[in-house]
Amino acid sequence: MTVTAPPVPRRTVPPRVAPRRPRPAPGSRGLSPLRLLGMAFVWLFTAFNILVLYWLLTATFKTPIEIFTKPFALPYQWFERGDPFRNIVYAWNNAGFGRAFLVTVVLVAVSSVAIVLVSAPAAYALTRLGVRGSNGLTNFIAIGMGIPFQTVVIPLFIGMAKLNLTNSLFGMFLVYVALSIPFTVFLLTGFFRSLPDELEEAASIDGASPLRTFFSIMLPLARGGLITALILNAIGLWNETLLALVFLNENANFTLARALFSFYGAASYQSEYGGLIAGVAIVVLPMLVLYVLLARRIITGLTLGAGK
């Protein structure tokens, strides 16, 4: 007699549930009134800045009469006379922009590099070396970002005068570096915090000192942050006027912004408004072109340091 085994019941597989869709970002469902208002404000602000830039570029090649009577028309008279760059040549020769341009390039380049060289080790020590009270020190340095430098100009001038560093490019170099360190340290701490700890642990196991780890491993990895800090400091120092106005009083030491301020009085007295606007264009356009070329790198660097 053959005994048959009872049938094995089949296991029912529950139906697969589709993964839940992520919730849309706030304000992304349709066009809310607040979002429409924000978009309108952004586009109006952008259009206004483009209009100002267009006026600046066209007025650079216009006569004073054209500037006031036809502010948004294309330049005509200087081109008709065969001398379209007359305002630029006038500003360059009469404002001393040749030497001022060289002084500004050297001063801004050296100051920006020095700021990064000082701020990078400080940011690394505050974020990676476990220094006691590093959070408090970081906050203390960040407080310097909230103090308007206009409030310290007078005591700073008195101290620099006692050290005979007024009307000196070296004195301006020291002032630029000192006033730019808080922002740069605060910016670079975000980049050093984003780096993985395993790299330092592996370097320590291999016998590398903290100094060698910093120069050989951490600095190359934080290259994006260093470049971003360098560019932002260069743009800020290039456009700086108040400190140069306070500390420099000889034409041989003038920066571009300081030379433009001195040129303003002479050009206004002679009604050379075309030359004055050309001087403004000479000061503004180099940094504008630099920012346009490197805007993607700057934005990527800032978001990387903030996102991690």
Side-chain angles (χ1 to χ4, degrees):
M1 182 176 182
T2 305
V3 180
T4 58
V8 179
R10 294 183 178 181
R11 300 176 61 183
T12 58
V13 180
R16 185 176 181 181
V17 181
R20 188 182 64 179
R21 294 182 179 180
R23 294 182 179 180
S28 61
R29 294 179 177 178
L31 295 176
S32 62
L34 185 60
R35 188 180 183 188
L36 285 174
L37 182 62
M39 292 176 61
F41 175 77
V42 170
W43 282 109
L44 287 175
F45 183 74
T46 303
F48 173 77
N49 282 276
I50 293 176
L51 182 64
V52 172
L53 180 61
Y54 166 78
W55 177 85
L56 176 65
L57 293 177
T58 55
T60 301
F61 303 96
K62 290 181 178 179
T63 62
I65 296 177
E66 287 182 294
I67 292 174
F68 290 102
T69 59
K70 301 177 181 179
F72 298 107
L74 293 175
Y76 174 74
Q77 293 187 21
W78 288 130
F79 285 87
E80 185 183 19
R81 299 177 186 178
D83 193 13
F85 299 102
R86 184 262 178 194
N87 292 333
I88 298 177
V89 174
Y90 177 87
W92 187 271
N93 294 333
N94 291 273
F97 279 168
R99 181 177 177 82
F101 188 88
L102 180 61
V103 169
T104 305
V105 169
V106 175
L107 181 61
V108 169
V110 174
S111 301
S112 301
V113 172
I115 292 167
V116 174
L117 289 178
V118 173
S119 301
Y124 177 75
L126 291 173
T127 55
R128 312 294 297 194
L129 296 184
V131 178
R132 180 178 298 179
S134 59
N135 292 331
L137 288 174
T138 304
N139 295 332
F140 181 76
I141 293 175
I143 291 175
M145 299 170 53
I147 300 176
F149 72 90
Q150 293 87 348
T151 60
V152 299
V153 167
I154 295 178
L156 187 61
F157 178 82
I158 295 174
M160 297 287 286
K162 291 181 179 180
L163 298 174
N164 295 323
L165 291 177
T166 57
N167 194 33
S168 168
L169 293 179
F170 179 71
M172 286 299 301
F173 164 77
L174 295 178
V175 172
Y176 282 169
V177 172
L179 295 180
S180 302
I181 282 179
F183 165 75
T184 311
V185 171
F186 183 78
L187 176 66
L188 293 180
T189 51
F191 288 94
F192 285 113
R193 284 197 183 103
S194 67
L195 300 179
D197 298 332
E198 291 79 3
L199 296 175
E200 287 178 301
E201 296 174 357
S204 179
I205 293 174
D206 292 338
S209 64
L211 188 62
R212 183 176 180 182
T213 301
F214 170 68
F215 283 105
S216 301
I217 298 176
M218 293 302 172
L219 273 186
L221 292 177
R223 180 177 56 185
L226 299 177
I227 295 176
T228 301
L230 186 68
I231 296 172
L232 292 177
N233 279 295
I235 294 175
L237 296 180
W238 182 279
N239 298 322
E240 195 283 318
T241 305
L242 178 60
L243 294 175
L245 183 63
V246 172
F247 288 96
L248 302 177
N249 52 36
E250 289 186 4
N251 294 338
N253 295 329
F254 279 0
T255 60
L256 271 176
R258 180 66 176 88
L260 177 64
F261 186 86
S262 299
F263 179 59
Y264 170 77
S268 300
Y269 179 77
Q270 299 175 5
S271 299
E272 281 289 347
Y273 298 106
L276 180 60
I277 295 175
V280 175
I282 293 174
V283 176
V284 172
L285 290 182
M287 287 299 105
L288 179 63
V289 172
L290 178 65
Y291 182 82
V292 170
L293 295 177
L294 301 177
R296 184 183 299 273
R297 177 177 289 275
I298 295 173
I299 295 173
T300 302
L302 290 175
T303 54
L304 177 63
K308 295 185 179 180

